[in-house]
Amino acid sequence: MASSTKYIFITGGVTSSLGKGIIAASLGKLLQARGFKVTIQKFDPYLNIDPGTLNPYEHGECYVTDDGAETDLDLGHYERFLNITTSQGNNITTGRIYNNVITKERKGEFLGKTVQVIPHITDEIKANFYKLGEEGEFDVVITEIGGCVGDIESLPFIEAVRQAKWDLGPNRFLVIHLTLIPYLKAAKELKTKPTQHSVKQLLEAGIQPDILVCRTEYHLPADVKKKLALFCNVQLNNVIEAMDADSIYDVPLLMKKEKLDERVMTKLKLTSKENTDLENWKDFLGKLKNPTQEVTIGLVGKYVSLPDAYKSIIESFTHAGASIECDVNLRLISSEEINPDNIAHKLQDLDGILVAPGFGERGFEGKIETVKYARENNIPFLGICLGMQVAVIEYARNVLNLKNANSTEMDPTTSTPVIGLMEEQKNIDQMGGTMRLGSYACDLKKGSKAFQAYGKSKIQERHRHRYEFNNDYLATMEEHGMIATGKNPETGLVEIVEIKNHPWFVGVQFHPEYKSTVLTPQPLFVKFIQAAADKKIK
Ligand code: GLN
């Protein structure tokens, strides 16, 4: 283990959904702005090897890294805040830990021994805690422990954190506990008891948190802070208030105001290398909060009742909108509820339409209707992954008059498979981690909308799909005005389609949303929003 790397562990108490990922990313941002090399990793206590096979309703969007890992959506926050790339090493689940240990057991690596949670599982967890620090020469590795303290399933992670203290020593080990201070309306009081209890649970597990970050709707009065310090055994100035914020992007500055970074640096004996550089961040926030234009964009998909299912897309609109000072009013619309009779009513006041990624038949025909509406009414359109495939099918059905055109995902026996299973997918019998995943190259056609957006002809974007544009239909599609403007240089796989005679109609097989960050908004989103704003003026 690199002997200078410092390790910060973030646990959560009282309830889930307190935003550990945002606090981790915000602290990471503040330390990075002081010149430290930082990465963040997430340890999830569930038994799936990765979230790739989970329905988005379980844990929200599945985020994909350059190296093709299917990961927790918090990794998206880490990338968006820190402008770094993450990898498989940044997201480890209990399933992966057990899988590694059992594989080693079968190989005979523990020959003669009884394999147990302690030490074998905890050793494997710790090896993974330290892995990125060993490989990446990071000054600081922040580890977010998923779930809540007290959950049975996170016990081995908590035990591994306890042990890590002794591996690392006092100046390289720090625990931040994120907790909730609820406000009881009837009593008009902020209550500290749930936090006292969750810290007690940590103490029972042998962990004394160094810093408490307290989510609250109201400012914490001095006496409440004092009480927390006293009962939770932490220094008074290590009780940090985390007020609810308007935007997740306010949190780094709020945490700076509360001196979270200074408290961490004092405890870890880190000396700041540079003055804190947050100018770009403030510039972004300034634009985000003072838009000079506004558009309404419809996001049409089937998981709309849980916006977390589209986390990266929603954040991409925030980054891209801010970059051109445009407020994007995003309307999530269920494709299941769209039909030819109500479509004009449902989509009439939109300046732009995005058809979302997805799997399976539910809501599919509503997406076809949506694309048709955007195409015929010259509404700026962005189709992502399944959204691009739908655009191809719609064009084949309604412009080329191939009425049976479909994807073999929706109709395996279709006579007109304009979208079909990729060759390398045909013999796959396992569902987990077997899609076409991660970063692939794409060459752009000069003069296309995509080329205008990126300003270059060679790009790399991330993927997550099994089906592809069937090149048997390419020539006819192009003759009729749907052009392949982006292709994989090695395989010829169509990555982007555009419609010639449309103000802005782009379908992408990849997921541009995974690479959008605060400081580098994704170019297709920027141009899409711009096209929507231009349409509005006309
Ligand atoms: N279901 C489609 C495929 O597997 C699209 C996937 C997606 O939208 N991510 O090809």
Side-chain angles (χ1 to χ4, degrees), residues 117-174:
V117 173
I118 304 171
H120 301 96
I121 293 296
T122 46
D123 280 353
E124 184 67 25
I125 294 172
K126 287 195 294 168
N128 280 279
F129 280 168
Y130 307 138
K131 209 168 174 190
L132 293 181
E134 282 161 0
E135 290 164 0
E137 296 183 355
F138 293 105
D139 300 310
V140 180
V141 175
I142 300 175
T143 303
E144 180 190 343
I145 306 288
C148 259
V149 170
D151 295 349
I152 290 177
E153 57 180 12
S154 48
L155 280 176
F157 288 146
I158 299 292
E159 166 61 13
V161 173
R162 183 193 70 78
Q163 294 177 20
K165 177 174 181 172
W166 304 105
D167 293 345
L168 297 165
N171 299 333
R172 297 179 56 209
F173 172 90
L174 179 126

Side-chain angles (χ1 to χ4, degrees), residues 64 355-360 367 384-389 407 409-410 419-422 425 435-436 463-468 508-511 513-514:
V64 178
V355 173
F359 295 85
K367 290 182 180 172
I384 299 183
C385 206
L386 182 64
M388 173 265 202
Q389 298 175 355
S407 161
E409 179 180 6
M410 313 304 156
I419 303 290
L421 201 57
M422 281 181 279
Q425 289 286 329
M435 281 189 249
R436 178 173 180 250
H463 298 70
R464 183 173 188 249
H465 65 119
R466 292 188 200 278
Y467 297 82
E468 64 173 326
V508 290
Q509 184 59 76
F510 49 79
H511 290 260
E513 70 274 22
Y514 291 141

Side-chain angles (χ1 to χ4, degrees), residues 30 219 241 251-261:
L30 293 179
H219 284 295
E241 169 187 290
V251 179
L253 299 181
L254 284 177
M255 287 301 99
K256 181 150 188 64
K257 219 169 120 220
E258 293 297 315
K259 302 192 168 42
L260 177 62
D261 53 341

